[in-house]
Amino acid sequence: MTHIKVNVDGTTYEDEVEPRLLLAHYLRDRLGLTGTPIGCDTSNCGACTVDLDGATVKSCSVLAVQADGSEVTTVQGLAKDGEWTALQRAFHERHALQCGYCTPGMIMAARDLLRENPQPTSYEIRQALEGNLCRCTGYQNIVRAVLAASGQEAPAVAEEVTA
Amino acid sequence: MTTVASNGHRTAFVDNDRKPTGHGRMLRKEDPRFVRGKGRYVDDLQLPGMLHLAILRSPLAHARVLSVDTTLAEAHPKVRLVVTGAMLAEKGLAWMPTLSNDVQAVLATDKVRFQGQEVAFVVAEDRYSARDALELIDVEYEALDPVIDVRTALSPDAPVIRDDLEGKSDNHCFDWETGDAAETDAVFARADVVVSEDIVYPRVHPAPMETCGAVADYDAVDGKLTLWSTTQAPHAHRTLYALVAGLPEHKIRVVSPDIGGGFGNKVPIYPGYVCAIVGSLLTGKPVKWMEDRAENLISTGFARDYVMRGEIAATRDGKILAIRTNVLADHGAFNGTAAPVKYPAGFFGVFTGSYDLEAAHCKMTAVYTNKAPGGVAYACSFRITEAVYLVERIVNCLAFELDMDPVELRMKNFIRPEQFPYRTKTGWVYDSGNYAPTMELAKQLAGYDELRAEQAEKRVRGELMGIGVSFFTEAVGAGPRKDMDILGLGMADGCELRVHPTGKAVVRLSVQTQGQGHETTFAQIVAEELGIPPQDIEVVHGDTDQTPFGLGTYGSRSTPVSGAAAALVARKVRDKAKLIASGMLEVSVADLEWEKGSFRVAGDPNASVTIQDIAMRAHGAGDLPEGVEGGLEAQICYNPENLTYPHGAYICVVDIDPGTAKVTVRRFVAVDDCGTRINPMIIEGQVHGGLTDGVGMALMEMIAFDEDGNCLSGSLMDYLIPTALEVPDWETGFTVTPSPHHPIGAKGVGESATVGSPPAIVNAVVDALAPFGIRHADMPLTPSRVWEAMQGRPVPPI
């Protein structure tokens, strides 16, 4: 067992963990922060994406002991005092989620993109989210949501025109 | 009546606040928890004392199990329980019924029949220890020759896979036939043109982002089992557990919490669920089973795997006369196909498509192979993906043969609007359709004629550009109970509606969303009928203790069946509200008029009561009219009279790199007609997702095997699903042809895009390859397979 001290979403935790414990399982099973889901076992899907000291990582591919002394932000730490971030609002308003399973990782990856590139093009958004798989949305509304969250004109989603 | 509109990319952003009740764009009620990481999926569940279950799986595709030694695993300090097939056999639980009246091994006893099959399980204190202990189980196998290629499965010398079945001496699973063979042969005999093509729909997998899993909690004191599980059909599962495990049904509660995508993968009962139940029964603790991605891909319900010979007969000027097909269906080691009992090939009978034919015939043989069970999944609407792929490919082969434009050929043969309801040559009665305007709109959105001109220019320069068209008719909303049942359970759906004293309401569904937005759209249906704002209507689903019985969500059946139930139960409440209103307004019922949300007295605009006023009166003091009980609620079980038949016109544009054979989907235009549109925003999202499935299947996805039966696609490294970079910006449009038999005219739509898009993409790729003389190439059209096609025909996939 290894002693670790890690700050997650503003709260500091101290734990004894096995060195082999994955950060994703530490967050989910030990801390009960289940907002970060797991979608694969080969680091492809990105559902488990979190922020680790300002870098975006797939938490299934980081050991909890590697997060010792670090600050981790998950999707559960984004909204402050119940106030959603622009990305969370945009995902809702642009219908950028369906089953919701990829959404936490998708939002975390998009957040990282907008930090580095506040006004990305559609293609840059698609490139940045290449490590995040979604099975429901076909990605287009996710691109629209990220455009909207960056303050850019984003094409709307459908409106009914029949009576 | 049909109205035509297109949303294109140009419509304004409209907030749902502007349209507080009824059908139309409304933001989703389920989003707030998901965007904040507050969804409640199965693996999020933590119960006091909960143990973790892991399954040991077969490394071999076909082998006799000689011995299973669990001594070392049992000695592991954190292991509580190790269970083998032999132990389950003692309790009569080693085999379970499948949804196709076959049986499937829960844990192997005699032999293993596919790689990844369940052999033993461990229950331990944490998930890591459970996995550790799997390594400590020693299984001795005697390898047997596997049957992998469906084409050789019926050879006389093929090893017999299902020797567990009494007297079984071959790998034959079932035969099925539809249409009129003699009549079809006669039409073929006199046709000017006959085109034949071997067309494979390879094995793929729904691969929802969340894999399958369950938490079983058996309470020995009150004898009640609670099972949280990733199920699309919680009520049907409850009944099957009662039949399998011998537990009384009222002591079983199945809860389907938030589901991270289903796509048909979460319809069957998997051995893992049964293992979790057994684990909880034996340990007295809650037991969680959560499979990993590899387990999901290699052992849970696959999709497709139809080897088809398609034949089409026509006149020289392009009148299609008949379609004939022979199908060899690979069902894997156990027939676990989820389909209504009388439909072992699902609804493949709609392979006549959108065309008015003189005759049609299909003969199918299904076989066992040493592969995982499944078949019906991945938004297939019970094999309609295969049916539509067959017809839309073979029609394109005919267009190629006749040197005719594929749109023109389709337009010439469409079932005409006045022919509906239209009985096909295989007996399906299409409810409504107006196909030509849908096709015209797609052509217009795509700029079809300009695209053909661009293609002609590019061909001169040696550039490979292809334009693919598909036009499909779906058949969704299973189904009429006289014809359709799953293991004896009629395919009807319940709905219950309660209006509280303050005018807020709860609607309880038997169907189960996996992301399709039922919590929003079912509130909209009730809102439209009752005039209660959708924000005031809570949708409850997924808990068999809390919801009426019904068969669940798959086959795009929620809107056709449960959506109808929701509308009708609201009307039932409205009828009662009218009686109460007549008492409140002191007029006869005949004098009342309904205006959304209130009853008013005809001719007296000032005399009216709202549905909220009526709800309070229904629960409050004061007299109610003679014979009216207190309260304001109703329930219903809706038995649909027919399926709904949505349709669509899709046009795909691809570019192929002549040097690398890489296919790029440049544009995709999808025009769908699902009748009345409850929430266009959600429909558009459903379509986007399904089109992406289509790109995956057409260009990337395949569950492949080597000759030893090793599954070569057991991870997301090998089973490729589209990322944001493989798909274009989708261009969608719609027409509206309501279903005449549905209470609100709505048809299902969830699977349309998955059904309709693969043929459009393949047709586009084949069209691009026309300079090479290619008439057909099988999916997935990966660069290597397209390259092979450019050199001649690629080998059909196994």
Side-chain angles (χ1 to χ4, degrees), chain A residues 20 22 25 28-29 35 39 41 88 92-93 95 98-100 126 135-140 144 157 160 162, chain B residues 3 25 28 31 35 41 43-44 127-128 132 206 293-294 378 677 685-686 688-689 692 701 722 724 729-730:
Chain A
R20 65 173 175 169
L22 298 174
H25 284 135
R28 295 179 52 79
D29 293 351
D41 45 20
Q88 288 170 312
H92 175 52
E93 289 170 356
H95 187 36
Q98 292 180 29
C99 82
R126 287 181 182 274
R135 229 25 191 152
C136 296
T137 65
Y139 300 106
Q140 185 165 350
R144 289 168 171 171
V157 292
E160 185 68 283
T162 52
Chain B
T3 55
R25 183 178 192 279
R28 295 204 322 166
D31 287 352
V35 298
Y41 304 95
D43 198 27
D44 300 345
R127 53 177 112 219
Y128 285 61
D132 287 343
R293 174 59 56 195
Y378 205 173
R677 296 158 63 84
Q686 293 287 295
H688 287 180
T692 306
E701 300 177 23
D729 274 351
W730 309 109

Short mmCIF file of all heavy atoms in Angstrom, two decimals, chain A residues 20 22 25 28-29 35 39 41 88 92-93 95 98-100 126 135-140 144 157 160 162, chain B residues 3 25 28 31 35 41 43-44 127-128 132 206 293-294 378 677 685-686 688-689 692 701 722 724 729-730:
data_model
loop_
_atom_site.label_atom_id
_atom_site.label_comp_id
_atom_site.label_asym_id
_atom_site.label_seq_id
_atom_site.Cartn_x
_atom_site.Cartn_y
_atom_site.Cartn_z
N ARG A 20 -1.15 -0.54 -8.01
CA ARG A 20 -1.74 -0.87 -9.31
C ARG A 20 -3.13 -0.24 -9.52
O ARG A 20 -3.70 -0.36 -10.61
CB ARG A 20 -1.87 -2.38 -9.45
CG ARG A 20 -2.84 -3.00 -8.44
CD ARG A 20 -3.05 -4.46 -8.73
NE ARG A 20 -3.87 -5.11 -7.73
CZ ARG A 20 -4.36 -6.33 -7.89
NH1 ARG A 20 -4.10 -7.01 -8.98
NH2 ARG A 20 -5.11 -6.87 -6.94
N LEU A 22 -5.96 1.95 -10.59
CA LEU A 22 -6.10 2.99 -11.62
C LEU A 22 -6.79 4.22 -11.04
O LEU A 22 -7.68 4.11 -10.19
CB LEU A 22 -6.90 2.46 -12.81
CG LEU A 22 -6.28 1.26 -13.55
CD1 LEU A 22 -7.25 0.74 -14.61
CD2 LEU A 22 -4.95 1.64 -14.18
N HIS A 25 -10.55 4.09 -11.14
CA HIS A 25 -11.18 3.29 -10.08
C HIS A 25 -11.04 3.97 -8.72
O HIS A 25 -11.92 3.86 -7.88
CB HIS A 25 -10.56 1.89 -10.04
CG HIS A 25 -11.03 1.00 -11.14
ND1 HIS A 25 -10.18 0.21 -11.89
CD2 HIS A 25 -12.28 0.79 -11.65
CE1 HIS A 25 -10.89 -0.47 -12.79
NE2 HIS A 25 -12.15 -0.12 -12.68
N ARG A 28 -13.78 6.56 -8.68
CA ARG A 28 -15.12 5.99 -8.69
C ARG A 28 -15.41 5.16 -7.44
O ARG A 28 -16.41 5.37 -6.75
CB ARG A 28 -15.31 5.09 -9.93
CG ARG A 28 -15.26 5.84 -11.26
CD ARG A 28 -15.44 4.86 -12.41
NE ARG A 28 -16.63 4.06 -12.18
CZ ARG A 28 -17.87 4.48 -12.42
NH1 ARG A 28 -18.05 5.66 -12.95
NH2 ARG A 28 -18.89 3.70 -12.15
N ASP A 29 -14.53 4.19 -7.18
CA ASP A 29 -14.83 3.22 -6.13
C ASP A 29 -14.44 3.73 -4.74
O ASP A 29 -15.13 3.46 -3.77
CB ASP A 29 -14.10 1.90 -6.41
CG ASP A 29 -14.62 1.19 -7.66
OD1 ASP A 29 -15.64 1.65 -8.20
OD2 ASP A 29 -14.00 0.20 -8.09
N GLY A 35 -19.00 10.29 -11.51
CA GLY A 35 -19.27 11.08 -12.73
C GLY A 35 -18.30 10.80 -13.85
O GLY A 35 -18.52 11.19 -14.98
N GLY A 39 -15.31 3.30 -20.32
CA GLY A 39 -15.95 2.75 -21.52
C GLY A 39 -15.13 1.71 -22.27
O GLY A 39 -15.61 1.09 -23.19
N ASP A 41 -11.05 -0.76 -22.28
CA ASP A 41 -9.92 -1.26 -21.51
C ASP A 41 -8.62 -1.11 -22.29
O ASP A 41 -7.65 -1.78 -22.02
CB ASP A 41 -10.16 -2.72 -21.10
CG ASP A 41 -10.70 -3.55 -22.27
OD1 ASP A 41 -10.53 -3.13 -23.43
OD2 ASP A 41 -11.29 -4.61 -22.01
N GLN A 88 -21.06 23.15 -20.30
CA GLN A 88 -22.19 22.34 -19.83
C GLN A 88 -23.50 22.89 -20.38
O GLN A 88 -24.36 22.13 -20.86
CB GLN A 88 -22.22 22.30 -18.30
CG GLN A 88 -21.10 21.45 -17.70
CD GLN A 88 -20.98 21.59 -16.20
OE1 GLN A 88 -20.96 22.71 -15.68
NE2 GLN A 88 -20.90 20.47 -15.50
N HIS A 92 -26.14 21.10 -23.28
CA HIS A 92 -27.58 20.97 -23.06
C HIS A 92 -28.36 21.67 -24.18
O HIS A 92 -29.25 21.09 -24.80
CB HIS A 92 -27.91 21.58 -21.70
CG HIS A 92 -29.37 21.65 -21.38
ND1 HIS A 92 -30.22 20.56 -21.47
CD2 HIS A 92 -30.13 22.68 -20.93
CE1 HIS A 92 -31.43 20.94 -21.10
NE2 HIS A 92 -31.42 22.21 -20.79
N GLU A 93 -27.98 22.91 -24.47
CA GLU A 93 -28.77 23.70 -25.43
C GLU A 93 -28.63 23.20 -26.86
O GLU A 93 -29.52 23.38 -27.67
CB GLU A 93 -28.35 25.17 -25.34
CG GLU A 93 -28.83 25.81 -24.04
CD GLU A 93 -28.25 27.19 -23.80
OE1 GLU A 93 -27.41 27.64 -24.61
OE2 GLU A 93 -28.63 27.81 -22.78
N HIS A 95 -28.11 20.00 -27.66
CA HIS A 95 -28.42 18.56 -27.69
C HIS A 95 -27.18 17.74 -28.06
O HIS A 95 -27.21 16.90 -28.97
CB HIS A 95 -29.57 18.28 -28.67
CG HIS A 95 -30.07 16.86 -28.63
ND1 HIS A 95 -30.14 16.11 -27.49
CD2 HIS A 95 -30.51 16.04 -29.63
CE1 HIS A 95 -30.60 14.91 -27.77
NE2 HIS A 95 -30.83 14.83 -29.06
N GLN A 98 -26.80 12.23 -25.51
CA GLN A 98 -28.00 11.40 -25.50
C GLN A 98 -27.96 10.48 -24.28
O GLN A 98 -28.55 10.77 -23.25
CB GLN A 98 -28.15 10.65 -26.82
CG GLN A 98 -28.47 11.63 -27.97
CD GLN A 98 -28.62 10.97 -29.32
OE1 GLN A 98 -29.00 9.82 -29.43
NE2 GLN A 98 -28.31 11.71 -30.37
N CYS A 99 -27.23 9.36 -24.38
CA CYS A 99 -27.17 8.48 -23.20
C CYS A 99 -26.36 9.12 -22.09
O CYS A 99 -26.49 8.75 -20.92
CB CYS A 99 -26.63 7.10 -23.55
SG CYS A 99 -24.83 6.99 -23.66
N GLY A 100 -25.50 10.06 -22.43
CA GLY A 100 -24.75 10.81 -21.42
C GLY A 100 -23.47 10.15 -20.94
O GLY A 100 -22.78 10.70 -20.09
N ARG A 126 -13.03 18.83 -34.02
CA ARG A 126 -13.07 17.39 -34.33
C ARG A 126 -11.72 16.73 -34.04
O ARG A 126 -11.65 15.64 -33.49
CB ARG A 126 -13.48 17.18 -35.79
CG ARG A 126 -14.95 17.45 -36.04
CD ARG A 126 -15.34 17.22 -37.50
NE ARG A 126 -16.75 17.53 -37.72
CZ ARG A 126 -17.76 16.68 -37.53
NH1 ARG A 126 -17.50 15.44 -37.13
NH2 ARG A 126 -19.00 17.05 -37.73
N ARG A 135 -21.15 7.14 -29.11
CA ARG A 135 -21.91 6.18 -29.91
C ARG A 135 -23.29 6.72 -30.28
O ARG A 135 -23.99 6.13 -31.09
CB ARG A 135 -22.06 4.93 -29.06
CG ARG A 135 -21.74 3.57 -29.60
CD ARG A 135 -20.80 3.41 -30.71
NE ARG A 135 -20.88 2.03 -31.20
CZ ARG A 135 -20.62 1.66 -32.43
NH1 ARG A 135 -20.25 2.55 -33.33
NH2 ARG A 135 -20.70 0.40 -32.78
N CYS A 136 -23.71 7.81 -29.66
CA CYS A 136 -25.10 8.29 -29.82
C CYS A 136 -25.24 9.49 -30.76
O CYS A 136 -26.18 9.54 -31.55
CB CYS A 136 -25.70 8.70 -28.48
SG CYS A 136 -25.90 7.38 -27.26
N THR A 137 -24.39 10.47 -30.64
CA THR A 137 -24.71 11.79 -31.22
C THR A 137 -24.23 11.99 -32.65
O THR A 137 -24.65 12.95 -33.30
CB THR A 137 -24.06 12.93 -30.41
OG1 THR A 137 -22.64 12.82 -30.52
CG2 THR A 137 -24.47 12.89 -28.96
N GLY A 138 -23.30 11.16 -33.11
CA GLY A 138 -22.74 11.42 -34.43
C GLY A 138 -21.88 12.67 -34.46
O GLY A 138 -21.56 13.18 -35.52
N TYR A 139 -21.54 13.17 -33.28
CA TYR A 139 -20.55 14.24 -33.06
C TYR A 139 -20.97 15.65 -33.47
O TYR A 139 -20.46 16.63 -32.95
CB TYR A 139 -19.21 13.92 -33.75
CG TYR A 139 -18.59 12.62 -33.26
CD1 TYR A 139 -18.61 11.47 -34.03
CD2 TYR A 139 -18.01 12.55 -31.99
CE1 TYR A 139 -18.05 10.28 -33.57
CE2 TYR A 139 -17.45 11.37 -31.52
CZ TYR A 139 -17.47 10.24 -32.32
OH TYR A 139 -16.93 9.06 -31.86
N GLN A 140 -21.88 15.78 -34.41
CA GLN A 140 -22.11 17.11 -34.97
C GLN A 140 -22.63 18.10 -33.93
O GLN A 140 -22.19 19.26 -33.89
CB GLN A 140 -23.09 17.03 -36.13
CG GLN A 140 -23.24 18.39 -36.82
CD GLN A 140 -23.91 18.24 -38.15
OE1 GLN A 140 -24.09 17.13 -38.65
NE2 GLN A 140 -24.27 19.34 -38.74
N ARG A 144 -21.10 21.61 -32.56
CA ARG A 144 -21.92 22.84 -32.43
C ARG A 144 -21.84 23.40 -31.01
O ARG A 144 -21.77 24.61 -30.80
CB ARG A 144 -23.38 22.53 -32.76
CG ARG A 144 -23.66 22.24 -34.23
CD ARG A 144 -25.06 21.65 -34.38
NE ARG A 144 -25.48 21.55 -35.78
CZ ARG A 144 -26.58 20.92 -36.18
NH1 ARG A 144 -27.37 20.32 -35.29
NH2 ARG A 144 -26.91 20.87 -37.45
N VAL A 157 -29.84 23.58 -34.01
CA VAL A 157 -30.42 22.27 -34.25
C VAL A 157 -31.86 22.46 -34.71
O VAL A 157 -32.40 23.55 -34.69
CB VAL A 157 -30.36 21.38 -32.99
CG1 VAL A 157 -28.93 21.02 -32.69
CG2 VAL A 157 -30.99 22.06 -31.82
N GLU A 160 -39.14 22.39 -35.41
CA GLU A 160 -40.31 21.91 -36.14
C GLU A 160 -40.99 23.07 -36.83
O GLU A 160 -41.10 24.15 -36.28
CB GLU A 160 -41.27 21.24 -35.15
CG GLU A 160 -42.46 20.58 -35.78
CD GLU A 160 -42.07 19.36 -36.61
OE1 GLU A 160 -41.56 19.54 -37.73
OE2 GLU A 160 -42.28 18.26 -36.14
N THR A 162 -43.96 22.30 -38.89
CA THR A 162 -45.35 21.96 -39.15
C THR A 162 -46.18 22.28 -37.93
O THR A 162 -45.67 22.41 -36.82
CB THR A 162 -45.49 20.47 -39.49
OG1 THR A 162 -44.85 19.74 -38.46
CG2 THR A 162 -44.87 20.16 -40.81
N THR B 3 -46.51 17.25 -45.67
CA THR B 3 -45.90 18.56 -45.77
C THR B 3 -44.40 18.37 -45.91
O THR B 3 -43.86 17.38 -45.45
CB THR B 3 -46.17 19.43 -44.53
OG1 THR B 3 -45.74 18.70 -43.39
CG2 THR B 3 -47.63 19.75 -44.40
N ARG B 25 -39.61 21.47 -30.56
CA ARG B 25 -38.28 21.43 -29.97
C ARG B 25 -38.37 21.74 -28.47
O ARG B 25 -38.93 22.75 -28.07
CB ARG B 25 -37.40 22.48 -30.65
CG ARG B 25 -35.99 22.47 -30.16
CD ARG B 25 -35.17 23.50 -30.93
NE ARG B 25 -33.75 23.30 -30.68
CZ ARG B 25 -33.13 23.73 -29.60
NH1 ARG B 25 -33.79 24.39 -28.67
NH2 ARG B 25 -31.85 23.49 -29.44
N ARG B 28 -33.74 18.81 -23.27
CA ARG B 28 -34.00 17.56 -22.55
C ARG B 28 -33.99 17.72 -21.04
O ARG B 28 -33.11 18.35 -20.46
CB ARG B 28 -32.95 16.52 -22.95
CG ARG B 28 -33.02 16.11 -24.41
CD ARG B 28 -32.45 14.76 -24.64
NE ARG B 28 -31.26 14.51 -23.83
CZ ARG B 28 -30.74 13.30 -23.66
NH1 ARG B 28 -31.30 12.25 -24.23
NH2 ARG B 28 -29.67 13.14 -22.93
N ASP B 31 -30.80 16.04 -19.29
CA ASP B 31 -29.43 16.56 -19.44
C ASP B 31 -28.79 17.05 -18.14
O ASP B 31 -27.58 16.83 -17.96
CB ASP B 31 -29.41 17.72 -20.46
CG ASP B 31 -29.59 17.24 -21.89
OD1 ASP B 31 -29.57 16.02 -22.11
OD2 ASP B 31 -29.74 18.10 -22.77
N VAL B 35 -24.72 16.24 -17.67
CA VAL B 35 -23.62 17.19 -17.91
C VAL B 35 -22.87 17.49 -16.61
O VAL B 35 -21.81 18.10 -16.64
CB VAL B 35 -24.08 18.52 -18.56
CG1 VAL B 35 -24.69 18.26 -19.93
CG2 VAL B 35 -25.02 19.29 -17.65
N TYR B 41 -25.62 5.23 -13.46
CA TYR B 41 -25.45 4.01 -14.25
C TYR B 41 -25.17 2.84 -13.31
O TYR B 41 -24.86 3.05 -12.12
CB TYR B 41 -24.30 4.20 -15.24
CG TYR B 41 -24.47 5.38 -16.16
CD1 TYR B 41 -23.88 6.61 -15.85
CD2 TYR B 41 -25.23 5.29 -17.32
CE1 TYR B 41 -24.05 7.72 -16.70
CE2 TYR B 41 -25.40 6.38 -18.16
CZ TYR B 41 -24.81 7.60 -17.85
OH TYR B 41 -24.98 8.69 -18.68
N ASP B 43 -22.73 0.74 -12.86
CA ASP B 43 -21.45 0.64 -12.15
C ASP B 43 -21.28 1.76 -11.12
O ASP B 43 -20.33 1.75 -10.33
CB ASP B 43 -20.28 0.63 -13.14
CG ASP B 43 -19.00 0.11 -12.52
OD1 ASP B 43 -19.08 -0.70 -11.56
OD2 ASP B 43 -17.90 0.50 -12.96
N ASP B 44 -22.17 2.75 -11.13
CA ASP B 44 -22.10 3.82 -10.12
C ASP B 44 -22.66 3.36 -8.77
O ASP B 44 -22.47 4.01 -7.75
CB ASP B 44 -22.89 5.06 -10.58
CG ASP B 44 -22.35 5.64 -11.88
OD1 ASP B 44 -21.22 5.27 -12.27
OD2 ASP B 44 -23.06 6.44 -12.50
N ARG B 127 -12.89 -5.56 -7.09
CA ARG B 127 -12.83 -6.01 -8.48
C ARG B 127 -11.44 -6.49 -8.88
O ARG B 127 -11.30 -7.36 -9.72
CB ARG B 127 -13.40 -4.99 -9.45
CG ARG B 127 -12.89 -3.60 -9.41
CD ARG B 127 -13.55 -2.77 -10.53
NE ARG B 127 -14.45 -1.74 -10.01
CZ ARG B 127 -15.62 -1.42 -10.58
NH1 ARG B 127 -16.03 -2.02 -11.64
NH2 ARG B 127 -16.36 -0.48 -10.05
N TYR B 128 -10.42 -5.93 -8.26
CA TYR B 128 -9.06 -6.36 -8.61
C TYR B 128 -8.81 -7.79 -8.12
O TYR B 128 -8.24 -8.61 -8.84
CB TYR B 128 -8.02 -5.39 -8.02
CG TYR B 128 -7.92 -4.07 -8.76
CD1 TYR B 128 -9.02 -3.21 -8.87
CD2 TYR B 128 -6.73 -3.68 -9.35
CE1 TYR B 128 -8.93 -2.02 -9.54
CE2 TYR B 128 -6.63 -2.46 -10.03
CZ TYR B 128 -7.74 -1.63 -10.13
OH TYR B 128 -7.64 -0.44 -10.80
N ASP B 132 -7.83 -11.16 -10.11
CA ASP B 132 -6.64 -11.94 -9.73
C ASP B 132 -6.99 -13.42 -9.61
O ASP B 132 -6.25 -14.29 -10.07
CB ASP B 132 -6.11 -11.48 -8.36
CG ASP B 132 -5.43 -10.12 -8.41
OD1 ASP B 132 -5.08 -9.68 -9.52
OD2 ASP B 132 -5.26 -9.52 -7.34
N PRO B 206 -22.83 -3.83 -31.56
CA PRO B 206 -23.39 -2.52 -31.18
C PRO B 206 -22.42 -1.69 -30.33
O PRO B 206 -22.46 -0.46 -30.37
CB PRO B 206 -24.64 -2.87 -30.37
CG PRO B 206 -24.90 -4.31 -30.60
CD PRO B 206 -23.62 -4.95 -31.02
N ARG B 293 -14.58 -4.08 -21.86
CA ARG B 293 -14.87 -3.91 -23.28
C ARG B 293 -14.60 -5.19 -24.07
O ARG B 293 -15.38 -5.54 -24.96
CB ARG B 293 -14.03 -2.74 -23.84
CG ARG B 293 -14.11 -2.53 -25.32
CD ARG B 293 -15.53 -2.26 -25.80
NE ARG B 293 -16.13 -1.14 -25.11
CZ ARG B 293 -17.43 -0.87 -25.12
NH1 ARG B 293 -18.28 -1.64 -25.78
NH2 ARG B 293 -17.91 0.16 -24.45
N ALA B 294 -13.52 -5.88 -23.73
CA ALA B 294 -13.21 -7.11 -24.47
C ALA B 294 -14.35 -8.11 -24.29
O ALA B 294 -14.79 -8.75 -25.26
CB ALA B 294 -11.89 -7.70 -23.97
N TYR B 378 -28.02 -3.70 -32.65
CA TYR B 378 -27.40 -2.59 -33.35
C TYR B 378 -28.40 -1.92 -34.29
O TYR B 378 -28.16 -1.78 -35.48
CB TYR B 378 -26.18 -3.11 -34.13
CG TYR B 378 -25.11 -2.08 -34.42
CD1 TYR B 378 -23.90 -2.47 -34.99
CD2 TYR B 378 -25.28 -0.72 -34.15
CE1 TYR B 378 -22.90 -1.55 -35.28
CE2 TYR B 378 -24.30 0.19 -34.43
CZ TYR B 378 -23.12 -0.23 -35.01
OH TYR B 378 -22.13 0.68 -35.31
N ARG B 677 -43.82 14.55 -35.81
CA ARG B 677 -42.53 14.67 -35.13
C ARG B 677 -42.74 15.25 -33.74
O ARG B 677 -43.14 16.41 -33.60
CB ARG B 677 -41.59 15.54 -35.96
CG ARG B 677 -41.26 14.90 -37.31
CD ARG B 677 -40.81 15.90 -38.34
NE ARG B 677 -39.57 16.58 -38.00
CZ ARG B 677 -38.35 16.07 -38.24
NH1 ARG B 677 -38.23 14.89 -38.80
NH2 ARG B 677 -37.28 16.75 -37.92
N GLY B 685 -30.95 14.29 -33.54
CA GLY B 685 -29.85 13.63 -32.84
C GLY B 685 -29.86 12.12 -33.06
O GLY B 685 -28.80 11.50 -33.21
N GLN B 686 -31.06 11.54 -33.09
CA GLN B 686 -31.16 10.11 -33.38
C GLN B 686 -30.60 9.81 -34.77
O GLN B 686 -29.90 8.83 -34.99
CB GLN B 686 -32.63 9.66 -33.32
CG GLN B 686 -33.24 9.71 -31.92
CD GLN B 686 -32.70 8.62 -31.05
OE1 GLN B 686 -32.91 7.44 -31.29
NE2 GLN B 686 -31.95 8.99 -30.03
N HIS B 688 -28.44 11.65 -36.56
CA HIS B 688 -26.97 11.83 -36.58
C HIS B 688 -26.27 10.57 -36.05
O HIS B 688 -25.27 10.12 -36.61
CB HIS B 688 -26.57 13.01 -35.69
CG HIS B 688 -26.89 14.35 -36.28
ND1 HIS B 688 -26.61 15.52 -35.63
CD2 HIS B 688 -27.47 14.71 -37.45
CE1 HIS B 688 -26.98 16.55 -36.37
NE2 HIS B 688 -27.53 16.09 -37.47
N GLY B 689 -26.76 10.06 -34.95
CA GLY B 689 -26.13 8.88 -34.35
C GLY B 689 -26.21 7.68 -35.27
O GLY B 689 -25.23 6.94 -35.44
N THR B 692 -23.87 7.82 -38.20
CA THR B 692 -22.50 7.52 -37.77
C THR B 692 -22.30 6.00 -37.66
O THR B 692 -21.25 5.47 -38.03
CB THR B 692 -22.20 8.25 -36.46
OG1 THR B 692 -22.48 9.62 -36.64
CG2 THR B 692 -20.75 8.08 -36.04
N GLU B 701 -16.14 -1.14 -39.24
CA GLU B 701 -16.42 -2.10 -38.19
C GLU B 701 -16.60 -3.53 -38.71
O GLU B 701 -17.26 -3.75 -39.71
CB GLU B 701 -17.72 -1.71 -37.46
CG GLU B 701 -17.66 -0.35 -36.81
CD GLU B 701 -18.98 0.06 -36.16
OE1 GLU B 701 -19.79 -0.83 -35.82
OE2 GLU B 701 -19.19 1.27 -36.01
N PRO B 722 -16.40 5.00 -35.46
CA PRO B 722 -16.03 6.32 -35.96
C PRO B 722 -15.73 7.33 -34.84
O PRO B 722 -16.41 7.33 -33.81
CB PRO B 722 -17.27 6.76 -36.75
CG PRO B 722 -17.99 5.50 -37.08
CD PRO B 722 -17.72 4.57 -35.94
N ALA B 724 -14.85 11.68 -34.30
CA ALA B 724 -15.36 12.92 -34.89
C ALA B 724 -14.73 13.20 -36.25
O ALA B 724 -15.28 13.97 -37.04
CB ALA B 724 -15.10 14.09 -33.94
N ASP B 729 -20.24 16.79 -41.40
CA ASP B 729 -21.42 17.49 -40.91
C ASP B 729 -22.63 16.90 -41.64
O ASP B 729 -22.68 16.90 -42.87
CB ASP B 729 -21.33 18.99 -41.24
CG ASP B 729 -20.55 19.75 -40.17
OD1 ASP B 729 -20.24 19.17 -39.12
OD2 ASP B 729 -20.25 20.93 -40.41
N TRP B 730 -23.57 16.38 -40.87
CA TRP B 730 -24.74 15.75 -41.49
C TRP B 730 -25.69 16.82 -42.00
O TRP B 730 -25.83 17.87 -41.37
CB TRP B 730 -25.46 14.87 -40.46
CG TRP B 730 -24.54 13.92 -39.78
CD1 TRP B 730 -24.12 13.99 -38.48
CD2 TRP B 730 -23.91 12.77 -40.34
NE1 TRP B 730 -23.26 12.94 -38.21
CE2 TRP B 730 -23.11 12.19 -39.33
CE3 TRP B 730 -23.92 12.19 -41.60
CZ2 TRP B 730 -22.34 11.05 -39.54
CZ3 TRP B 730 -23.17 11.05 -41.82
CH2 TRP B 730 -22.38 10.49 -40.80
#
